[in-house]
Amino acid sequence: MKQSVFQAFYDKNHISQEQYQKDAGFILDLETQFSWVLEEINPSQLDDIIAYMVEKNLNTVPNIVILMRYYKATSNHDLFIHLTKYTGSLGVMESILDKLEKVVGKDRASAIKAEITIPPLGTPLNEMPVYTKHLLTVFETHLSKDEMKRTLSDNHHQIPKEAFLSEQVYYEAANTLDDYLSDLHQRKVAELEQHYRENRVWFEQEINPEVIEFVRNNPEILSAVRKDNQLFITKIPYDTKAYLNAKTKEKQKYHACHCPFVKSIFLDQHLAISPTWCDCSGGFTKFPFEVLFNRTLDITCIETPLNGDPLCRFVISLDEVSFKQ
């Protein structure tokens, strides 16, 4: 264990010495249990550690955070990113079921919830689609298409709207919505360039010049393109570097997909998942624009790897939105 590096990370981030001692002890216990040096393991071995944590009821958010801090401190980008495949599911199904109650009422929602099992934190990625398939089957049995879409298409990662409020300032300063979208895209490209220069992970991604150029060449990525009263948005791949280097279409789709609830099916094809599930991703995608326009928006998934497409692409309707032209 790189104790001095881990200690320096805690000092830099003003985390107490007491917390450091506790968290370092957790890392050392894992190294003792497996006889491994944690910064030298591969993703498959990290999966074994997560499975052990599930078995021993150690699969708590604070313990996952300790591992993420350790890999952040030791600049182990691959293992840090691998952990995000587990944390990306946190609270999502719970939020969906909360929204279900708002859509259909408490009594109907209670009966539906009784049929659904939420996967515990640390569930192996190749098992997650089983839970997703079951949830969709239950929803399809009890809900109309409109009820399903309203339930799934929301901010289920619970990102606070304050994270996007500053964009209203940029929009107000722009002459038109199109000018704002162009500026947003340029700012996002600059953000990627800064992360590359500083050798920092951008959300779940390692950035290189090829990634930057890929985003630069598609103005729908990390922004949107308006055509009449529609906004077209292409989601950046979950792992753009791996996506660009993928040797097969299936691996390309796997690296494009952000969703831990389904993405493993692109590697082993053990289940077919309805593209309806991508309404959940649509809710995440439209949320910044809902904050921008201060209203609920309708979004439709028009391309998804679940339908064989290389990337996820959405269209937002602006039919009832007064925007700057």
Side-chain angles (χ1 to χ4, degrees):
M1 176 185 176
K2 294 184 175 180
Q3 295 192 45
S4 61
V5 173
F6 200 34
Q7 174 76 75
F9 178 86
Y10 275 59
D11 291 344
K12 179 181 178 181
N13 289 281
H14 304 285
I15 303 172
S16 71
Q17 179 65 19
E18 179 183 1
Q19 189 65 52
Y20 166 75
Q21 293 290 347
K22 179 181 176 182
D23 294 354
F26 180 73
I27 297 294
L28 288 170
D29 286 345
L30 289 176
E31 291 192 333
T32 300
Q33 174 65 33
F34 287 89
S35 299
W36 293 339
V37 178
L38 256 62
E39 66 270 17
E40 296 177 0
I41 63 174
N42 58 44
S44 178
Q45 290 172 307
L46 182 53
D47 288 337
D48 290 340
I49 289 175
I50 298 298
Y52 166 80
M53 290 169 61
V54 172
E55 179 186 353
K56 300 297 183 182
N57 294 318
L58 297 171
N59 56 327
T60 64
V61 172
N63 284 344
I64 295 291
V65 168
I66 294 170
L67 287 172
M68 297 187 84
R69 283 175 176 167
Y70 187 67
Y71 290 129
K72 191 82 167 179
T74 57
S75 299
N76 199 317
H77 297 335
D78 288 344
L79 294 178
F80 177 86
I81 291 169
H82 191 69
L83 280 173
T84 66
K85 295 174 184 176
Y86 289 100
T87 59
S89 64
L90 275 172
V92 171
M93 277 198 177
E94 292 89 341
S95 178
I96 289 172
L97 296 181
D98 287 344
K99 180 63 182 292
L100 174 67
E101 185 171 318
K102 296 176 183 176
V103 172
V104 304
K106 187 174 182 179
D107 291 342
R108 281 182 67 194
S110 294
I112 295 170
K113 289 178 184 180
E115 299 182 34
I116 294 170
T117 302
I118 296 175
L121 178 61
T123 296
L125 298 178
N126 63 351
E127 295 179 12
M128 294 291 279
V130 175
Y131 293 88
T132 309
K133 177 81 169 180
H134 178 68
L135 180 143
L136 287 174
T137 299
V138 173
F139 276 14
E140 287 164 356
T141 301
H142 296 285
L143 303 178
S144 68
K145 289 184 178 180
D146 177 68
E147 288 170 336
M148 281 188 68
K149 184 171 184 178
R150 286 192 288 138
T151 299
L152 292 172
S153 183
D154 206 341
N155 174 30
H156 292 306
H157 287 280
Q158 299 297 313
I159 300 171
K161 69 177 183 179
E162 287 77 13
F164 302 108
L165 282 176
S166 62
E167 288 301 318
Q168 291 180 342
V169 177
Y170 288 101
Y171 178 54
E172 290 165 4
N175 291 323
T176 66
L177 174 60
D178 294 344
D179 288 345
Y180 163 75
L181 295 173
S182 177
D183 175 69
L184 173 62
H185 187 252
Q186 292 174 33
R187 285 187 283 117
K188 288 298 183 182
V189 170
E191 183 179 314
L192 297 179
E193 290 174 329
Q194 181 176 1
H195 278 72
Y196 171 65
R197 288 193 303 270
E198 297 174 358
N199 191 32
R200 291 191 290 135
V201 172
W202 181 80
F203 292 98
E204 304 93 358
Q205 304 209 29
E206 186 177 350
I207 304 302
N208 65 15
E210 291 74 27
V211 171
I212 295 169
E213 197 62 19
F214 176 77
V215 174
R216 192 194 313 276
N217 290 335
N218 189 335
E220 289 187 9
I221 295 178
L222 300 183
S223 183
V225 172
R226 184 184 67 85
K227 297 177 183 178
D228 298 323
N229 278 6
Q230 294 179 312
L231 291 181
F232 289 85
I233 301 169
T234 296
K235 290 196 73 168
I236 189 171
Y238 177 83
D239 186 340
T240 311
K241 179 181 174 182
Y243 174 86
L244 294 174
N245 293 325
K247 303 300 183 184
T248 67
K249 289 183 178 180
E250 295 309 311
K251 285 193 174 181
Q252 189 180 56
K253 288 185 283 188
Y254 174 80
H255 293 304
C257 182
H258 285 248
C259 184
F261 290 99
V262 301
K263 68 181 295 163
S264 70
I265 68 170
F266 299 117
L267 297 183
D268 56 28
Q269 295 294 317
H270 64 289
L271 276 180
I273 302 292
S274 168
T276 299
W277 179 249
C278 296
D279 285 337
C280 178
S281 181
F284 176 88
T285 300
K286 71 173 180 164
F287 184 62
F289 292 97
E290 291 183 324
V291 175
L292 190 72
F293 296 121
N294 194 30
R295 60 169 299 143
T296 300
L297 298 171
D298 183 66
I299 189 167
T300 301
C301 180
I302 56 176
E303 296 178 20
T304 167
L306 290 178
N307 266 341
D309 302 301
L311 288 170
C312 300
R313 191 166 182 245
F314 296 87
V315 58
I316 293 175
S317 172
L318 299 179
D319 284 343
E320 298 181 6
V321 178
S322 176
F323 60 91
K324 299 165 74 173
Q325 300 189 58

